[in-house]
Amino acid sequence: MEKSIKLGISPCLLGMNVRYDGGHKLDRFITNTLGQYVEYVPVCPEVGCGLPIPREAMRLEGDPDSPRLVTIRTKQDMTDRLVQWAKKRVVELEKEDLCGFIFKSNSPSSGLERVKVYNEKGMPVKKGVGVFARIFMDHFPLLPAGDEGHLHNPELRENFIERIFSLKRWREVLETKQSRGNIVDFHTRHKLLILSHSPKHYQIMGRLVAKAGDLSLKELYQQYQTLFMESLRLQATHKKNVNILQHMMGYFREQLSSDEKQELLELIDHYRESYIPLIVPITLINHYVRKYDQPYLKQQLYLNPHPLELQLRNHV
Ligand code: SF4
């Protein structure tokens, strides 16, 4: 597959020796597995703002909502230096067309959530966001963002990767001539995928698409993009997936024998009970889609939202 999905990344996760101690935090899923499908854009804020390797370790101190970045031993405040650099860097990153960012967890510069912030007595609370991560997310609020810890949780991994592939497909629509027809087509192909995350968003997006003629193309695209990315951020659940599977089964009412229907119903039930992973009923439905050449389901991204080799729907 063409490497056309660009992800920003904390380069210590790629094995680059940029950490304060001159080491790295290589993550093999990121390099060896996901790395086959994406192109990484490394961004180390501490090295980027001119600090050396190795350097004194830092931590967040003060108010968890706007903490200071301070070196632990000599108490130098690095906040302004890093903030100044980060504000320029995020503007440069606009040109990269990133589909997401993978941050290094727990880092006072790059951590996305629950980073330790120390009070004046030296006691930590896990409520902080790394200085660069905060500026990045404020600048790109809709971009999928995760850390290596999320990628080791099967559900969060699936959600993150589904979002980066979805955003890539959306960007491809943006590259074509803008038209209401293109939005309708995109929305139709993503119907079941959106429903598996948020039936509420699907309803709102349906109303938006229905009144597409009342809005300028710019407004329509902007509103649709926001709703699309917000909907996918919500976790797909077993209950929502079961609804989609049952809905898809309805498309084969005429073709399936009673034995085949029974088999599919049993698989959906086993998935509902968490005995088998989602990929099992999906594989059978994909088989029926091909066998009966079902035109509507054939175009549904829900059935193939990301490469099978990533094994994202293989967990129970
Ligand atoms: S600042 Fe971020 S990218 Fe750089 S070494 Fe620390 S965690 Fe890794």
Side-chain angles (χ1 to χ4, degrees):
M1 185 179 165
E2 206 184 317
K3 282 198 174 186
S4 52
I5 297 182
K6 274 190 178 180
L7 291 186
I9 191 159
S10 302
C12 48
L13 293 170
L14 297 177
M16 293 164 76
N17 292 318
V18 287
R19 275 168 61 87
Y20 73 96
D21 58 1
H24 61 74
K25 284 283 176 185
L26 174 65
D27 185 296
R28 293 196 188 277
F29 173 77
I30 290 173
T31 52
N32 299 359
T33 307
L34 190 56
Q36 294 178 45
Y37 301 94
V38 304
E39 186 183 328
Y40 291 121
V41 177
V43 185
C44 174
E46 292 179 15
V47 174
C49 78
L51 296 175
I53 309 168
R55 57 190 170 274
E56 194 184 334
M58 293 183 265
R59 69 183 193 184
L60 295 177
E61 292 185 358
D63 175 4
D65 289 331
S66 63
R68 308 299 296 178
L69 180 67
V70 183
T71 59
I72 297 175
R73 193 171 45 82
T74 58
K75 294 288 170 208
Q76 294 174 70
D77 191 325
M78 298 292 181
T79 320
D80 295 343
R81 176 181 187 150
L82 202 132
V83 166
Q84 253 186 3
W85 174 85
K87 286 189 170 164
K88 278 192 203 137
R89 188 72 181 107
V90 288
V91 174
E92 290 165 11
L93 284 172
E94 286 173 12
K95 294 190 205 92
E96 297 284 358
D97 229 5
L98 298 178
C99 286
F101 203 111
I102 303 175
F103 290 97
K104 171 73 191 75
S105 62
N106 302 327
S107 154
S109 305
S110 302
L112 191 57
E113 59 186 18
R114 304 200 311 125
V115 180
K116 284 182 187 165
V117 184
Y118 291 80
N119 64 18
E120 65 284 356
K121 290 182 185 143
M123 297 299 290
V125 281
K126 280 187 155 188
K127 284 189 176 171
V129 177
V131 174
F132 172 65
R134 188 187 291 271
I135 290 169
F136 182 92
M137 290 315 298
D138 284 350
H139 197 78
F140 299 108
L142 293 177
L143 268 199
D147 61 36
E148 82 285 9
H150 297 152
L151 292 179
H152 289 278
N153 170 310
E155 281 163 10
L156 299 181
R157 171 192 292 193
E158 182 184 344
N159 180 278
F160 177 74
I161 294 178
E162 195 168 290
R163 281 189 289 149
I164 63 173
F165 277 90
S166 299
L167 182 53
K168 179 64 189 159
R169 289 192 297 274
W170 171 251
R171 293 262 170 85
E172 283 163 5
V173 171
L174 292 181
E175 278 162 21
T176 61
K177 192 173 178 307
Q178 296 202 350
S179 76
R180 291 173 178 85
N182 281 347
I183 292 264
V184 172
D185 176 59
F186 184 88
H187 188 60
T188 306
R189 291 187 295 122
H190 286 79
K191 172 180 173 175
L192 300 183
L193 192 71
I194 298 165
L195 276 172
S196 71
H197 288 270
S198 174
K200 188 173 153 214
H201 276 83
Y202 181 74
Q203 266 185 12
I204 300 170
M205 292 160 85
R207 286 199 289 272
L208 177 71
V209 172
K211 62 163 194 179
D214 300 348
L215 297 169
S216 71
L217 275 176
K218 193 174 169 207
E219 274 175 307
L220 176 64
Y221 271 69
Q222 264 172 4
Q223 287 188 31
Y224 189 89
Q225 171 173 286
T226 303
L227 288 164
F228 183 57
M229 294 315 293
E230 278 178 2
S231 71
L232 299 186
R233 198 182 284 162
L234 298 166
Q235 201 69 39
T237 60
H238 269 225
K239 193 164 174 249
K240 287 183 255 185
N241 280 323
V242 165
N243 286 342
I244 308 285
L245 294 167
Q246 288 170 336
H247 176 75
M248 287 193 291
M249 195 174 159
Y251 283 89
F252 301 106
R253 213 172 287 129
E254 306 293 314
Q255 291 106 331
L256 297 190
S257 68
S258 55
D259 261 9
E260 286 173 325
K261 278 183 194 153
Q262 190 54 34
E263 185 190 11
L264 184 52
L265 274 174
E266 273 174 24
L267 289 185
I268 294 173
D269 237 32
H270 288 164
Y271 166 71
R272 187 207 317 269
E273 301 290 338
S274 299
Y275 298 147
I276 58 171
L278 179 59
I279 192 67
V280 179
I282 291 277
T283 303
L284 186 56
I285 290 176
N286 262 323
H287 167 70
Y288 290 142
V289 170
R290 275 195 303 275
K291 182 172 172 187
Y292 299 114
D293 199 24
Q294 213 305 314
Y296 178 72
L297 293 182
K298 213 159 63 174
Q299 54 162 359
Q300 285 301 313
L301 268 307
Y302 177 79
L303 285 167
N304 294 293
H306 32 58
L308 202 60
E309 294 81 357
L310 285 170
Q311 304 180 349
L312 296 173
R313 288 166 156 179
N314 293 21
H315 58 91
V316 285

